[in-house]
Amino acid sequence: MEQNQINTKVRKPQPVDFGAIWQAIKNNRKLYYIVLPITLVIAVVIAKSIPTYYKCEVILAPESGAGGGSASQLASLASSFGVSLGGGNASGDAITPSLYPDLIKSTDFKTSLFPIKVHKKNDKKIMSYYDYLKNEWKEPWWEDFFGLMAPEKQQDTLVNNFELTGEQSRIAGMINKNVVCKIDKKTSLITIDVTTQEPYVAALLADSIKNRLQEFLTDYRTQKSRHDLEYAEMLLHQSKKDYERARQKYVEFVDANQDVVLESIRQMQTDLENDLQLQYNNYNTLSAQVLAYKAKVQEATPAFTTLQRATVPLGPAGPKRSQILSVFLFLAALFTTIWILYKEKQLKSLLGLA
């Protein structure tokens, strides 16, 4: 008995009355005539307020075993002097291509882009990338209106990566949004996207950033090898002086004592010969070591094959103003319809809650 009473209280779902819904919308169609034109005006203002921007894309393929050919030849030549380059990864590479996007986002790399020189097409005024973003970059009006931008531009100071100024941090943040590096994990291709508000500047920056990336990686990956090479070259320079001094001393002694047969003179000549040979061997060994360190520097130097070079974009990448208008009008129509159905008590019926 109780079960039957419970069952009678369960309401059966009512079919949606599309006719009533359409009639409710039809009766309030004047609301659309007010909302949609206002929305269209707002959408046009917003779409026109967003500055036009351009994108330039560069695609690179990192060469495996960069510098391997030249390094192998130098290594073979060094081994002929009895110096081995050793096994393993000579470059000591701690930055693989998969980490390049994070490297580009680093403060050190972003601030290294500040001095890059750019200029607009047919414009003789050359400026740094920092000054371009600071003085030439346009923002939508609401950025200033809502105080999202810095209230005033600060005086330029030297860049200290440990403690950037507010203005430098803002510019670095803009670079972080406008310079994007992506890695295809399947093909290991590196794509660098550069966004600017001038097509010519976009191409200039994309090419410069590609070169700066290679320089940055080269400095990092060859740092220890270059330090070792500089130290070995310093020792080689000193060793050459010592060898030339010992040779000159030996030659002068032999010239001055050609007819002397004293045993003490012969012993002194032998000592000079031994010292000359020692200096020569030392010089020869250091020469081989310098050659070996040059091979290590060459082996650690990264190289890229450019699959798509920087070119001036023919058209803007955005904003997609037609899409902005479509989205605004769609949302306005949607929310207006929901409001009408709610006011006419048809919303619950449509949602199956009646």
Side-chain angles (χ1 to χ4, degrees):
M1 186 64 177
E2 293 179 357
Q3 184 66 30
N4 292 335
Q5 291 177 352
I6 293 175
N7 290 336
T8 58
K9 293 180 180 179
V10 176
R11 294 183 179 181
K12 295 181 180 180
Q14 298 294 325
V16 178
D17 190 350
F18 289 102
I21 292 175
W22 172 249
Q23 189 63 40
I25 294 174
K26 189 176 180 181
N27 293 338
N28 293 272
R29 62 184 179 275
K30 291 183 179 180
L31 186 59
Y32 291 99
Y33 301 155
I34 298 173
V35 172
L36 293 183
I38 294 175
T39 302
L40 179 62
V41 172
I42 295 174
V44 169
V45 171
I46 291 177
K48 290 290 186 179
S49 298
I50 301 175
T52 302
Y53 58 87
Y54 300 83
K55 282 190 176 183
C56 183
E57 184 178 80
V58 176
I59 300 178
L60 307 171
E63 293 182 358
S64 58
S70 300
S72 298
Q73 295 175 4
L74 289 173
S76 299
L77 187 57
S79 64
S80 66
F81 290 94
V83 177
S84 174
L85 293 180
N89 185 2
S91 65
D93 191 10
I95 295 184
T96 60
S98 62
L99 295 179
Y100 289 178
D102 295 322
L103 183 148
I104 286 183
K105 291 180 182 179
S106 68
T107 301
D108 287 348
F109 186 79
K110 287 185 292 188
T111 56
S112 74
L113 304 182
F114 285 178
I116 291 179
K117 300 300 181 182
V118 298
H119 63 90
K120 301 177 184 178
K121 188 175 182 180
N122 301 325
D123 191 347
K124 296 182 179 180
K125 180 183 177 182
I126 298 177
M127 68 194 85
S128 67
Y129 185 29
Y130 180 91
D131 290 333
Y132 172 77
L133 292 176
K134 179 181 177 181
N135 302 320
E136 302 291 331
W137 193 266
K138 300 176 183 177
E139 295 286 355
W141 56 267
W142 56 81
E143 293 283 349
D144 288 326
F145 182 80
F146 292 106
L148 299 180
M149 299 293 292
E152 59 180 15
K153 295 178 180 179
Q154 302 170 356
Q155 186 178 2
D156 290 333
T157 59
L158 295 177
V159 178
N160 178 7
N161 290 334
F162 182 74
E163 186 179 8
L164 297 179
T165 66
E167 185 74 6
Q168 292 168 352
S169 180
R170 183 179 73 85
I171 299 299
M174 295 175 68
I175 293 177
N176 193 50
K177 292 188 296 182
N178 296 328
V179 178
V180 178
C181 178
K182 296 175 289 186
I183 300 292
D184 189 322
K185 294 183 179 179
K186 294 182 179 180
T187 61
S188 296
L189 294 181
I190 305 167
T191 301
I192 301 174
D193 285 327
V194 178
T195 302
T196 69
Q197 294 175 350
E198 295 287 338
Y200 196 77
V201 173
L204 287 176
L205 277 173
D207 187 63
S208 298
I209 290 172
K210 178 201 72 172
N211 296 331
R212 190 59 58 92
L213 175 63
Q214 187 161 2
E215 291 174 4
F216 195 89
L217 291 170
T218 299
D219 289 341
Y220 173 80
R221 294 174 59 175
T222 63
Q223 184 176 7
K224 183 179 184 305
S225 298
R226 284 186 289 108
H227 177 75
D228 293 341
L229 174 60
E230 290 172 1
Y231 182 69
E233 287 178 335
M234 182 190 69
L235 293 178
L236 178 64
H237 181 70
Q238 182 62 42
S239 175
K240 184 179 180 180
K241 287 184 177 180
D242 293 340
Y243 168 65
E244 291 175 347
R245 189 182 300 112
R247 184 180 59 184
Q248 184 66 27
K249 188 175 181 180
Y250 173 76
V251 170
E252 291 176 353
F253 182 85
V254 172
D255 289 344
N257 299 278
Q258 288 185 354
D259 299 328
V260 179
V261 294
L262 295 176
E263 188 63 29
S264 59
I265 298 300
R266 291 180 178 178
Q267 183 61 45
M268 188 175 296
Q269 181 176 343
T270 300
D271 292 341
L272 290 175
E273 287 179 354
N274 292 338
D275 183 60
L276 177 62
Q277 186 63 40
L278 180 64
Q279 297 298 335
Y280 174 76
N281 292 340
N282 187 38
Y283 174 72
N284 196 34
T285 300
L286 288 173
S287 296
Q289 288 182 351
V290 168
L291 193 64
Y293 285 126
K294 286 182 178 180
K296 285 188 176 184
V297 171
Q298 177 66 24
E299 188 175 11
T301 301
F304 301 101
T305 299
T306 303
L307 302 183
Q308 179 174 314
R309 63 189 299 271
T311 56
V312 178
L314 299 178
K320 307 293 185 182
R321 293 188 170 92
S322 59
Q323 293 182 5
I324 294 174
L325 297 179
S326 299
V327 170
F328 268 78
L329 291 175
F330 171 76
L331 293 176
L334 176 63
F335 286 111
T336 301
T337 302
I338 292 174
W339 167 253
I340 290 173
L341 295 180
Y342 174 77
K343 188 180 69 170
E344 297 294 334
K345 298 182 170 43
Q346 295 296 326
L347 187 59
K348 290 184 178 181
S349 174
L350 181 62
L351 299 176
L353 301 175

